[in-house]
Amino acid sequence: MTGSGIAGAFTETVALPGERPITPEVVREHNLNELEYGRILDLLGRIPTLTELGVFSALWSEHCSYKHSKPVLRTFPISGPLVVQGPGENAGVLRLPEGWAVAFKIESHNHPSAVEPYQGAATGVGGILRDVFTMGARPVALLDSLRFGPLDRPRNRYLFAGAVRGVGDYGNCVGVPTLGGEVNFAPGYTGNPLVNAMCVGLLRERDLIRAAAEGVGNVLLCVGARTGRDGIHGASFASEELSEASESRRPQVQVGDPFTEKLLLEASLELITSGLIVAIQDMGAAGLTSSSAEMAARGGVGVEIDTGLVPTREEGMTSYEILLSESQERMLVVAEPARVSEIQAVCAKWELTATSIGHVTDDGIFRVRHHGQTVVAIPGQRLLEDCPIYHPEAEEGEEARARRSALDLGEPVVDIEGALELLLDHPSIASKRWVYEQYDSTVQAGTVLPPGSDAGVLRVPGTDFGLAVSVDCNSRLVALDPYEGGKAAVAEAARNVACTGAIPLGITNCLNFGNPEKPDVFYQFREAARGIGDACRAFGTPVTGGNVSFYNESPAGAIDPTPTIGMVGLLPRVEDRIASYFDSPRDEVYILGETSGILGGSAYWAEVCDFVGGYPPSVDLESELRFQRFLAAAAEQQLLRSAHDCSEGGLAVALAEAVIGGPYVPGSLGADLDLTGYAPDVPVDGLLYGEDGARAVVSCAPPSSRFLIALANEHGVPVFHAGRVQSAGALELQVGPHVFSWSTEALRRIYFDAIPRRMQHPDVDRAAGE
Amino acid sequence: MTRVAVVRFPGSNCDFDTLRAAERYGAEAYFVWHRDVDLRGADVVILPGGFSYGDYLRSGAIARFSPVMQAVKQHAAGGGPLLGICNGFQILCEAHLLPGALMRNAGLTFVSKPVDVTVERTDTVFTADYETDSRLRLPVAHGEGRFVAAPDTLRMLESEGRVVLRYVAATERSPFQPNPNGSANHIAGICNAEGNIVGIMPHPERAADRLLGLTGGSGFFTSLMAWHQAPKMGVQSR
Amino acid sequence: MTFRVHLRVMPRDGLLDPQGQAVEHALTALGFEEAGAVRVGRAIELAVAASSRGEAEAKARQMCDKLLANPVTEDYLLEVEED
Amino acid sequence: MTFRVHLRVMPRDGLLDPQGQAVEHALTALGFEEAGAVRVGRAIELAVAASSRGEAEAKARQMCDKLLANPVTEDYLLEVEED
Ligand SMILES: Nc1ncnc2c1ncn2[C@@H]1O[C@H](COP(=O)(O)OP(=O)(O)O)[C@@H](O)[C@H]1O
Ligand SMILES: [Mg+2]
């Protein structure tokens, strides 16, 4: 079959009149190296046409081919009793009770957001929504993981404000609540911000649909927005001659249209549940090219499309441009010819058009015509599978090793008591209320825990159970020790989910790194992935999918390695959900887990002692697992009034956040605590600000105490009685000879004002430039 | 049983929430598509929240011309109860079924959070079950919720007591601003002279379930269940 | 013939214009003290097929009164030019 | 002297303009078939103090380049008139 394909391919394709001849320069412009071009030649048995070269350059790009990451990603655990769909589809799917399933995925949109934060973030959300609803799932939650340089630089404030507005405007309009996320500010992201968006969707398992083209003779339909010259990235200049001066008219920025997305969402779900279609896929990166080629390859068939039939937004678009356009809000649908009119009727109801642009063939060839003229004919399987896979050299950077073993602490800029206020004022730790109040977090009327707790919690309609969702990564730890940092990211996501009482089910991941051809960067990547894999194996939380974003570099060098973990957990009885804040005066306060006092990689050293370094505490996966199981059990027995895990800023910040309470409580509570006996041999700064995992601050009603302690012992989770919640006033804390007292109202003001007071005039910020 | 028609415009996204909330309190609720011209014997009509037509141009400006709006106007002209929530309120103003307009929030950003409001009118079909001046905590989620009207219109609304919901001024220990969007006179919701057409920015349908933490909105739905016995003004029997 | 219509839909005088205020503030902060009285509205451009400039303008006015401007809060100005 | 500056900040040609599309769609639905090629942008009006029209225009351009228009996605046109 493929053989005849090559023969066919060999003879039928011709270069277009006036088409730029394939020179080494043109090949290089398409970011294809000699090895890769050689593969193309013997795969085709001839010289490719310019359009074919464009197709190869898109599908063999890092983004589509994973040529530097595949071997590493293969080490992830991807199977488990609940896995309905693992990596390889638009989104991963896990089984839930009562015939339900959850589809979820995270994606990066870093580079577009660096150019135009508003549209970059908005279209990032649009793309991840489509990945989820093309599986037949209704999106029920969004999360966003954001990274910027420090807010004292206007450009960073502008990027932050623009990205947040973009995420909000898109998700709010489509009507999907944003239930969580994270924002982090560090010098490593100046010049290269990170914008990762995650979507979670619900479906009946029987409605699951996969993006595999089937049935020779079936029709390919283009549904949704018209195709324009949007973001025809690296390849753009190569097609100049094809449409003279089109370059000037070709915007690099893709503009999102959430309204069309909403119509596309409703139409797609109606098409899928009504069984009218065979397969559906979003036209994402490399647009029509990747969607059609991938659907064909998954189904082991060929496809033939005529780009002349694709509805375009602009006159005179070439086949090259139409194939590579990244215009948003478009879907490719495969259906039986007899169904087309019904499909068009459904689309018309949603004010969308569905246009036949080709059909499924039996010869395995990816064939493209333009007004009848064949411009591309490539053996489909090999187009996707023959891209060379690279095994780059990996070696830890000198600098990282040095920073880990160094110990040049600066003089603390404040005393141990003042350090808490300084940390709560740091935008990475402070309340993200400024962000999440711009996001509709209650639409769909299913939000049980809105942003502000450790994880967002939503109810599955018509059932008693719910889902907890969180995205997390501490890149400081990853930079210092990629393996432990990878483990720590998974552990923190699991802790956040567990603190609501949910059982961690599985993860998706977005691996943001620098240039993989640099040995130190690839070392970070490989080791972080190894850590993620080990943690997921230990927790029984398979990797259901993800996304790799390489080449995140600025003049200053590579970004801090940022493998963001998106975790989904199940709350068997959603009404058992636990909030993060203390609930009532006189409740008993306990500390779960042990503290080693290690300050390596801590926010305390970074912000108070101006030192990013040292050995981070190693992650004990067994105690993390016991911790997770205990919290699920405690929630099920309704023993807890609150649970808040320790992450950045350690125990002190966790205590402060629990006392301060949520943004809408009339006033903060207080607490009277004595940690003298908790970790006697640990210095007080390490005790308060060390960032060991498997720890949480929990509170319970006095009568529950004995059951709580018994349950903790049963699960082998260390539990220490720290004191009591007070009605108001202060966070009083004794540690041996040290006595600390913080006014909770003062802490509250610092915590909630930290970001707003830095974000007064975003408009001025863009103009002010760097 | 009360028949509640929830109108779906392209871009509506609180349609399911509103339908479910009405059903939870015993209504016979169903969707009416914006192209339909028949409300199928609705007792009560609700225009739900969302972003009809993407809120492009002005929120509600395009939806106002949907075919269904003819029937909606007739329903209201006959005294039929009509509620607009958020985007629904914006549509009612654009359609001149309610006075004034809803403009970009004074803070220029989208605002999503719970707010406290007082119920100042309890003789409408939608607020009959509330005590006068009772306080509710309801979520708002909008970018264009700043109510504006000509000075004389505002005076009329106040003198005729047509403010249905008003944002509560921040009390000393309350975490809320007086008003999340800069609305004139802290107005969160109004009604027409007859009292059968009500428009509000907050979302009662998201606050009608214990599990979601807020229950202040349930009164809107229990009230409309009793629409035929109730209100002093407005509704005549069909 | 077709005409190009340039529309400016501005917030009514006297109405609070937070966008205008924000822009004015930003300009001052950037050192443009010479700027003042900033108002921000909507600019709409469209092609109108008509047999005369007058007809094009009349049609454009209808579009404004019906859809493009909100009489409660906005005033509009329009310019018509031949294409 | 002070001058009135009228600015029109429009989406770049070739850039998708969802708002323009929606408005065009609505106009057609309302029976204004003669309308087409609708683009929606922002209209900004401001007073600029300057010694000459030329200076006023130059300053206005600076304001646009720095603040009022987003160079990545928007183009602007400006008119200056004496007050
Ligand atoms: N970008 C964001 N979007 C939405 N919610 C956010 C965002 N950033 C932070 N949050 C919310 O703020 C709360 C605190 O965030 P974070 O400090 O990252 O929590 P944790 O340390 O437990 O991971 C969480 O509920 C989180 O979901
Ligand atoms: Mg946490």
Side-chain angles (χ1 to χ4, degrees):
Chain A
M1 179 161 112
T2 329
S4 70
I6 293 179
F10 185 75
T11 50
E12 67 184 294
T13 325
V14 300
L16 294 171
E19 178 171 288
R20 202 170 172 195
I22 308 303
T23 64
E25 185 203 1
V26 172
V27 173
R28 235 176 297 110
E29 284 172 354
H30 281 75
N31 303 316
L32 292 160
N33 63 30
E34 267 162 40
L35 172 67
E36 290 160 352
Y37 186 62
R39 286 272 178 100
I40 293 172
L41 288 181
D42 59 52
L43 180 162
L44 289 176
R46 61 173 168 80
I47 294 178
T49 65
L50 184 63
T51 312
E52 286 172 327
L53 200 64
V55 167
F56 277 107
S57 92
L59 290 178
W60 290 13
S61 68
E62 186 63 49
H63 188 92
C64 294
S65 70
Y66 289 84
K67 56 191 168 190
H68 285 95
S69 58
K70 239 184 204 151
V72 169
L73 299 182
R74 286 213 186 88
T75 65
F76 284 148
I78 59 168
S79 54
L82 299 181
V83 177
V84 179
Q85 176 61 59
E89 272 285 345
N90 290 315
V93 180
L94 294 174
R95 181 169 299 114
L96 298 175
E98 299 174 35
W100 287 93
V102 56
F104 61 108
K105 176 100 184 303
I106 189 168
E107 274 267 353
S108 67
H109 229 217
N110 304 337
H111 299 113
S113 304
V115 181
E116 220 301 297
Y118 177 79
Q119 292 296 346
T123 51
V125 171
I128 198 62
L129 282 164
R130 289 192 293 280
D131 278 338
V132 164
F133 68 74
T134 48
M135 302 298 293
R138 176 168 290 273
V140 292
L142 286 165
L143 299 93
D144 59 335
S145 172
L146 310 175
R147 297 279 191 291
F148 307 92
L151 286 181
D152 49 20
R153 294 180 93 172
R155 174 79 188 170
N156 295 335
R157 291 197 296 268
Y158 162 68
L159 291 170
F160 174 43
V164 167
R165 211 159 43 79
V167 170
D169 283 359
Y170 205 101
N172 298 344
C173 181
V174 177
V176 181
T178 301
L179 290 194
E182 53 171 356
V183 194
N184 204 280
F185 304 90
Y189 301 106
T190 300
N192 194 323
L194 301 185
V195 173
N196 297 175
M198 172 174 169
C199 180
V200 180
L202 286 170
L203 67 154
R204 307 298 299 169
E205 192 177 332
R206 64 174 133 75
D207 290 336
L208 175 64
I209 181 167
R210 292 184 173 82
E214 277 159 23
V216 174
N218 280 347
V219 182
L220 271 64
L221 296 148
C222 186
V223 176
R226 297 181 157 267
T227 298
R229 293 188 171 95
D230 304 303
I232 304 171
H233 291 301
S236 52
F237 33 78
S239 60
E240 256 162 342
E241 271 87 325
L242 288 179
S243 62
E244 59 290 346
S246 68
E247 180 55 23
S248 56
R249 282 179 285 118
R250 179 185 307 117
Q252 288 305 309
V253 185
Q254 307 155 31
V255 172
D257 178 2
F259 172 58
T260 298
E261 179 95 344
K262 168 68 170 169
L263 301 177
L264 205 50
L265 185 166
E266 298 299 340
S268 301
L269 292 181
E270 193 170 328
L271 288 174
I272 292 165
T273 45
S274 63
L276 283 172
I277 63 176
V278 173
I280 180 169
Q281 168 145 354
D282 150 48
M283 297 195 210
L288 181 55
T289 301
S290 59
S291 51
S292 52
E294 283 172 14
M295 281 224 268
R298 286 204 198 95
V301 297
V303 288
E304 175 171 319
I305 54 185
D306 190 325
T307 44
L309 300 173
V310 175
T312 58
R313 208 167 70 220
E314 293 165 74
E315 292 304 304
M317 286 183 68
T318 64
S319 190
Y320 187 112
E321 292 173 316
I322 292 167
L323 279 170
L324 297 185
S325 162
E326 296 191 343
S327 292
Q328 301 288 302
E329 291 94 22
R330 299 179 303 159
M331 290 284 185
L332 188 64
V333 166
V334 180
E336 293 165 11
R339 297 293 206 178
V340 169
S341 56
E342 288 165 274
I343 290 168
Q344 285 169 331
V346 170
C347 291
K349 170 184 164 196
W350 294 103
E351 318 212 327
L352 298 170
T353 57
T355 314
S356 303
I357 60 165
H359 59 275
V360 177
T361 63
D362 66 356
D363 63 5
I365 300 290
F366 175 70
R367 185 180 290 100
V368 180
R369 301 186 193 279
H370 195 56
H371 301 295
Q373 161 77 260
T374 304
V375 292
V376 175
I378 307 171
Q381 291 289 346
R382 300 188 60 186
L383 171 60
L384 288 172
E385 287 162 14
D386 283 17
C387 174
I389 297 302
Y390 300 99
H391 303 268
E393 188 189 334
E395 196 190 349
E396 179 165 36
E398 255 321 308
E399 196 247 352
R401 208 180 294 114
R403 267 200 290 159
R404 202 165 52 231
S405 36
L407 230 191
D408 43 23
L409 292 179
E411 256 314 294
V413 294
V414 287
D415 63 16
I416 291 179
E417 189 166 66
L420 178 57
E421 283 147 17
L422 189 133
L423 288 173
L424 289 177
D425 184 57
H426 192 285
S428 296
I429 292 176
S431 168
K432 309 306 186 299
R433 175 183 182 174
W434 184 89
V435 175
Y436 59 72
E437 281 191 347
Q438 295 186 54
Y439 300 159
D440 190 336
S441 52
T442 51
V443 63
Q444 294 191 17
T447 301
V448 176
L449 275 186
S453 289
D454 282 323
V457 174
L458 66 100
R459 158 186 54 194
V460 175
T463 75
D464 293 339
F465 60 93
L467 299 177
V469 292
S470 182
V471 285
D472 293 282
C473 176
N474 182 332
S475 52
R476 203 185 297 117
L477 303 180
V478 186
L480 286 171
D481 185 336
Y483 174 70
E484 289 298 329
K487 282 161 62 184
V490 178
E492 183 182 353
R495 274 201 312 273
N496 281 328
V497 162
C499 278
T500 67
I503 304 154
L505 291 186
I507 73 155
T508 180
N509 64 86
C510 192
L511 307 177
N512 307 272
F513 289 81
N515 176 352
E517 295 151 57
K518 295 183 180 172
D520 58 327
V521 169
F522 197 75
Y523 173 86
Q524 293 174 328
F525 175 72
R526 193 193 66 199
E527 289 303 293
R530 192 165 63 86
I532 292 169
D534 285 353
C536 286
R537 266 180 290 271
F539 298 165
T541 53
V543 177
T544 65
N547 164 248
V548 178
S549 171
F550 280 137
Y551 303 100
N552 291 288
E553 305 250 345
S554 72
I559 56 157
D560 298 344
T562 312
T564 307
I565 302 302
M567 172 84 66
V568 171
L570 173 72
L571 254 161
R573 257 201 342 259
V574 69
E575 64 182 20
D576 294 344
R577 99 280 181 289
I578 306 164
S580 300
Y581 324 116
F582 291 152
D583 182 84
S584 328
R586 284 178 306 287
D587 280 0
E588 306 285 350
V589 178
Y590 292 88
I591 312 294
L592 304 179
E594 282 166 337
T595 295
S596 69
I598 293 171
L599 281 165
S602 66
Y604 177 77
W605 271 4
E607 306 306 331
V608 178
C609 307
D610 187 32
F611 172 62
V612 177
Y615 282 85
S618 63
V619 180
D620 176 355
L621 297 173
E622 279 60 41
S623 44
E624 293 281 356
L625 185 60
R626 288 195 295 271
F627 173 94
Q628 294 162 25
R629 298 209 164 128
F630 163 72
L631 279 163
E636 201 247 336
Q637 299 176 27
Q638 301 182 334
L639 293 176
L640 294 175
R641 283 272 183 77
S642 78
H644 183 27
D645 80 310
C646 302
S647 53
E648 259 196 300
L651 190 51
V653 165
L655 285 168
E657 288 176 335
V659 175
I660 289 169
Y664 311 117
V665 299
S668 296
L669 295 163
D672 200 341
L673 309 173
D674 185 346
L675 298 182
T676 305
Y678 171 55
D681 352 335
V682 171
V684 65
D685 56 353
L687 181 130
L688 290 181
Y689 301 112
E691 296 182 11
D692 290 286
R695 296 182 306 163
V697 173
V698 305
S699 67
C700 70
S704 308
S705 290
R706 8 195 291 269
F707 304 102
L708 187 71
I709 292 162
L711 191 68
N713 296 337
E714 197 180 307
H715 282 79
V717 171
V719 56
F720 176 83
H721 181 248
R724 253 167 227 81
V725 178
Q726 303 295 340
S727 56
L731 171 57
E732 311 273 1
L733 183 57
Q734 173 147 19
V735 188
H738 309 273
V739 180
F740 306 102
S741 174
W742 295 276
S743 145
T744 49
E745 278 311 318
L747 295 181
R748 180 183 181 82
R749 227 169 291 111
I750 293 168
Y751 183 69
F752 284 114
D753 291 350
I755 291 179
R757 76 180 174 82
R758 290 171 168 89
M759 297 300 296
Q760 306 278 324
H761 314 296
D763 340 352
V764 186
D765 292 334
R766 189 183 88 236
E770 276 313 316
Chain B
M1 184 196 306
T2 310
R3 285 176 59 80
V4 177
V6 176
V7 179
R8 296 181 89 185
F9 298 92
S12 296
N13 63 29
C14 307
D15 40 3
F16 286 99
D17 315 358
T18 307
L19 184 90
R20 279 198 226 101
E23 282 174 347
R24 193 175 311 117
Y25 291 92
E28 180 186 352
Y30 54 92
F31 287 133
V32 172
W33 185 234
H34 75 118
R35 291 225 193 87
D36 298 349
V37 290
D38 176 11
L39 296 171
R40 311 210 298 276
D43 301 314
V44 174
V45 176
I46 303 181
L47 309 188
F51 287 68
S52 57
Y53 293 93
D55 273 3
Y56 293 135
L57 194 62
R58 301 179 307 275
S59 17
I62 300 178
R64 158 197 175 192
F65 294 105
S66 284
V68 74
M69 287 305 288
Q70 276 314 321
V72 170
K73 282 179 179 160
Q74 278 167 20
H75 167 84
L82 171 60
L83 174 65
I85 302 171
C86 198
N87 191 230
F89 185 13
Q90 293 160 337
I91 295 169
L92 291 177
C93 290
E94 283 284 342
H96 309 307
L97 288 168
L98 288 173
L102 293 147
M103 300 185 72
R104 182 102 176 260
N105 294 348
L108 298 179
T109 60
F110 191 94
V111 175
S112 165
K113 63 178 194 177
V115 298
D116 287 347
V117 295
T118 48
V119 185
E120 299 195 357
R121 276 287 291 267
T122 54
D123 59 350
T124 80
V125 175
F126 304 101
T127 54
D129 281 0
Y130 290 105
E131 297 296 314
T132 311
D133 295 329
S134 53
R135 261 193 193 209
L136 319 176
R137 182 161 294 185
L138 303 174
V140 291
H142 58 250
E144 299 182 354
R146 176 168 49 104
F147 182 79
V148 300
D152 50 355
T153 311
L154 275 178
R155 246 176 272 113
M156 172 190 67
L157 287 172
E158 296 291 359
S159 61
E160 295 179 7
R162 285 166 54 183
V163 176
V164 177
L165 296 182
R166 202 186 301 268
Y167 300 113
V168 174
T171 56
E172 199 210 322
R173 298 206 78 207
S174 153
F176 301 102
Q177 315 147 258
N179 154 352
N181 49 34
S183 285
N185 299 9
H186 304 333
I187 288 172
I190 59 171
C191 63
N192 64 339
E194 296 72 23
N196 64 310
I197 306 178
V198 174
I200 57 174
M201 283 317 291
H203 287 278
E205 81 278 12
R206 303 183 190 182
D209 183 345
R210 213 193 83 267
L211 189 60
L212 306 184
L214 297 176
T215 54
S218 51
F220 279 81
F221 301 95
T222 56
S223 298
L224 66 81
M225 285 309 293
W227 74 281
H228 21 45
Q229 298 98 325
K232 300 85 195 154
M233 32 194 340
V235 189
Q236 303 117 28
S237 59
R238 284 170 304 140
Chain C
M1 294 188 290
T2 71
F3 296 81
R4 283 216 68 65
V5 176
H6 303 284
L7 263 168
R8 281 192 263 114
V9 184
M10 303 303 292
R12 274 273 162 80
D13 293 343
L15 263 187
L16 174 69
D17 174 18
Q19 259 176 302
Q21 288 174 347
V23 171
E24 185 162 341
H25 173 279
L27 285 171
T28 329
L30 290 169
F32 293 108
E33 282 84 5
E34 61 276 18
V38 183
R39 312 278 292 167
V40 177
R42 204 176 296 106
I44 304 177
E45 272 180 38
L46 63 161
V48 175
S51 52
S52 73
R53 170 187 298 271
E55 186 194 346
E57 173 162 350
K59 283 180 171 165
R61 290 201 177 282
Q62 289 172 17
M63 299 179 199
C64 288
D65 299 335
K66 194 145 195 205
L67 174 71
L68 301 179
N70 180 344
V72 181
T73 55
E74 299 170 324
D75 297 312
Y76 64 86
L77 299 84
L78 52 77
E79 292 160 37
V80 180
E81 70 188 31
E82 264 181 58
D83 224 2
Chain D
M1 298 186 285
T2 70
F3 297 81
R4 281 216 73 61
V5 176
H6 302 283
L7 265 167
R8 280 190 260 112
V9 185
M10 304 302 291
R12 277 267 162 87
D13 287 347
L15 262 194
L16 175 68
D17 174 17
Q19 184 154 223
Q21 268 181 9
V23 171
E24 183 166 340
H25 191 275
L27 284 171
T28 325
L30 288 174
F32 293 108
E33 281 85 5
E34 61 276 14
V38 181
R39 309 278 289 171
V40 179
R42 286 173 296 126
I44 304 176
E45 274 181 33
L46 63 161
V48 174
S51 52
S52 73
R53 170 187 299 271
E55 187 195 344
E57 173 162 349
K59 281 181 173 165
R61 291 200 177 281
Q62 288 174 18
M63 299 179 198
C64 288
D65 298 335
K66 229 170 158 17
L67 177 73
L68 303 178
N70 179 344
V72 186
T73 56
E74 298 172 321
D75 295 317
Y76 63 88
L77 299 85
L78 52 77
E79 292 160 36
V80 179
E81 69 188 31
E82 266 181 55
D83 223 0

